[in-house]
Amino acid sequence: MLSVTDLFSIGIGPSSSHTVGPMRAACAFAAFAIAEAAGRAVVRVTCTLHGSLSLTGRGHATDRAVQLGLMGWMPDAIDPDAIGALLDGLAQTRRMALGGRIGVDFEPARDVVFAPDFDPGHANTMRFAAVFDDGAGCTQTWYSVGGGEIRAADAGAADGANVAVPYPFETAGELLAQAGAAGLDIAALVAANEAARRDPAETGAFLDSVHAAMSACIDRGCRTGGELPGGLSVRRRAPSLEAALVAESGDPALAARHMMEWVSLWALAVNEENAAGGRVVTAPTNGAAGVLPAVLRFYERTTPGADRAGVHRFLLTASAIGMLYKLRASVSAAHLGCQAEVGVACSMAAGALCAVLGGSNAQVENAAEIGMEHNLGLTCDPIGGLVQIPCIERNTMGAIKAINAAWLALRGDGQHVVSLDAVIETMRQTGEDMGSRYKETSLAGLAVNVGVKVPVNIVEC
């Protein structure tokens, strides 16, 4: 079984699969290479990026993430404000401390290679290699499979911890059946499963940290202006939008007339932070990081009695829905298109909001289904390979859809024609049928039809 910690993690932008995952893989390889060297000097380290990681790697800062990971940095530990100085120092000296420990000559333009061929293992493939002073060396191949999760190419089915949980499930049908038999709501069922892994107080503290990071990201995005990096000259809109809403409606907590605009603002703020490389919560990805925080803040601002327990219930319910997508399909846009990112986030947020507004388990499942049904076929075609257009605004649409889906489900009795399991399988099939040009490669759609020339999507072989 997956855990709530597999759905939410705190890291940096702009992409969970192109930035967070590669940084983790590079850090893991650095530790592996140091162990394999066994006292020998490491004379060279290289990383070759394949498929989507190559085609949109520059726009997603994949090369920068790899360099930081090789230096031993992890996305949840690095200070985003320190990244520029670290990379500038490497570019000037052409020498890094591999894993933070061993000095190695490294030239970024030479040692991070962009190879646009697709590996059959996954659309996001990284091949690392190290050479020792005696001519020997070592290699590793990693896949970035979505949401910041990485998987070794040679990983077996039995790899990883196998924790026995009281209420295992792989489908929504099983989830509803388990919860019904135990007399639990979905959040309580997930909490019971988490208790098999760690003390409940630890899970509570984790959820508090996720909530705090989401809130801080919204607030930081609302007060930070300027232009986003990357060459598209996209100006950050959140500060001016917030100022206009405050001027028109006064106290944000009482601005019912403009509430949908506030929700859009909160989602916009998060994804502008993400596009700028700020600290965000992967939920379930960085490209879709604004949906859940915006809907969660909507719950907090509009629901009488909203409290810490409600926030936990929201996040636990959302994680259960996200687990189903990760188990049965994917949360990787490179694999199944943006329906696997913004669509999944919308589905998670819809079910979670329905739960905290008093919905039954059947209504929660209905809300999650509605959230995905109306995102089916959503392509991923970022202009210039940047997580900006259409990604930022797409999060605002996902948040609004999630709220509407929850309201629709709450007006029903939980009975509906299309099940969540059916819509997840449809999403998977649709993504498999979708041409690779529309799955985070920037080779089709808006990326080629808007006439914007951005020098970040140059492919090197």
Side-chain angles (χ1 to χ4, degrees):
M1 277 300 302
L2 296 174
S3 168
V4 65
T5 58
D6 295 312
L7 271 299
F8 305 118
S9 61
I10 300 171
I12 59 169
S15 171
S16 50
S17 61
H18 282 54
T19 311
V20 176
M23 190 183 299
R24 288 174 173 163
C27 191
F29 177 73
F32 172 74
I34 291 171
E36 290 292 302
R40 292 171 290 183
V42 181
V43 297
R44 188 178 179 188
V45 175
T46 62
C47 174
T48 303
L49 304 170
H50 297 268
S52 179
L53 291 181
S54 169
L55 291 167
T56 59
R58 283 188 173 84
H60 288 76
T62 307
D63 50 345
R64 293 160 61 91
V66 165
Q67 294 166 49
L68 293 167
L70 289 174
M71 287 188 276
W73 288 104
M74 287 287 279
D76 59 343
I78 193 167
D79 177 1
D81 293 333
I83 289 175
L86 287 168
L87 295 176
D88 287 345
L90 176 59
Q92 292 170 7
T93 64
R94 297 182 181 180
R95 189 165 178 82
M96 70 162 57
L98 183 67
R101 296 167 52 191
I102 297 177
V104 178
D105 290 336
F106 189 90
E107 296 186 20
R110 178 196 69 183
D111 295 328
V112 179
V113 180
F114 292 81
D117 61 300
F118 281 81
D119 184 278
H122 198 276
N124 293 330
T125 299
M126 298 158 277
R127 288 192 171 87
F128 294 92
V131 178
F132 308 141
D133 58 358
D134 63 356
C138 62
T139 62
Q140 272 189 336
T141 298
W142 288 91
Y143 304 137
S144 183
V145 298
E149 180 184 352
I150 56 173
R151 188 174 301 150
D154 58 356
D159 288 356
N162 186 18
V163 177
V165 298
Y167 305 110
F169 60 88
E170 292 189 4
T171 68
E174 292 173 357
L175 173 61
L176 291 175
Q178 290 268 33
L184 299 172
D185 63 36
I186 290 172
L189 181 146
V190 174
N193 283 347
E194 295 300 310
R197 303 173 181 273
R198 69 187 75 83
D199 187 281
E202 293 182 39
T203 298
F206 171 77
L207 295 174
D208 289 339
S209 70
V210 168
H211 177 225
M214 286 180 170
S215 297
C217 189
I218 291 175
D219 295 339
R220 191 169 55 248
C222 285
R223 65 174 180 262
T224 307
E227 191 173 284
L228 295 174
L232 286 180
S233 300
V234 174
R235 293 198 62 78
R236 296 172 68 135
R237 289 178 284 172
S240 60
L241 177 56
E242 182 185 48
L245 288 174
V246 170
E248 291 176 17
S249 54
D251 185 352
L254 303 177
R257 186 168 69 89
H258 293 302
M259 186 47 68
M260 292 301 97
E261 288 188 79
W262 282 103
V263 172
S264 293
L265 162 66
W266 298 327
L268 193 79
V270 170
N271 280 84
E272 286 181 347
E273 274 296 295
N274 179 64
R279 188 166 301 288
V280 300
V281 177
T282 299
T285 68
N286 283 27
V291 177
L292 268 84
V295 177
L296 179 54
R297 180 161 288 192
F298 170 80
Y299 156 71
E300 294 180 283
R301 291 286 177 88
T302 64
T303 306
D307 56 11
R308 178 174 182 258
V311 169
H312 286 192
R313 188 179 185 193
F314 182 100
L315 294 172
L316 290 169
T317 304
S319 71
I321 296 164
M323 290 174 196
L324 295 173
Y325 284 97
K326 293 195 78 169
L327 288 167
R328 309 300 296 179
S330 173
V331 296
S332 168
H335 185 192
L336 299 179
C338 194
Q339 58 174 1
E341 297 205 17
V342 168
V344 172
C346 178
S347 181
M348 292 168 64
L353 181 62
C354 182
V356 295
L357 294 183
S360 66
N361 288 344
Q363 289 172 316
V364 168
E365 186 259 358
N366 188 193
E369 180 276 321
I370 295 170
M372 173 53 75
E373 185 177 345
H374 302 288
N375 280 291
L376 289 173
L378 194 61
T379 60
C380 181
D381 52 354
I383 296 173
L386 298 165
V387 192
Q388 296 179 20
I389 302 174
C391 319
I392 295 172
E393 287 183 355
R394 194 167 279 179
N395 275 258
T396 71
M397 300 298 108
I400 298 299
K401 280 186 180 181
I403 294 170
N404 198 37
W407 283 340
L408 286 172
L410 286 167
R411 290 295 184 181
D413 60 4
Q415 302 299 311
H416 52 107
V417 174
V418 181
S419 69
L420 179 55
D421 285 327
V423 85
I424 291 174
E425 176 57 19
T426 302
M427 186 270 277
R428 186 194 66 78
Q429 293 176 5
T430 302
E432 295 290 356
D433 290 342
M434 192 183 293
S436 62
R437 296 187 307 148
Y438 294 96
K439 293 190 283 191
E440 212 167 10
T441 60
S442 290
L443 296 177
L446 289 175
V448 300
N449 287 321
V450 297
V452 177
K453 294 182 179 180
V454 183
V456 295
N457 202 35
I458 301 171
V459 176
E460 294 179 357
C461 296

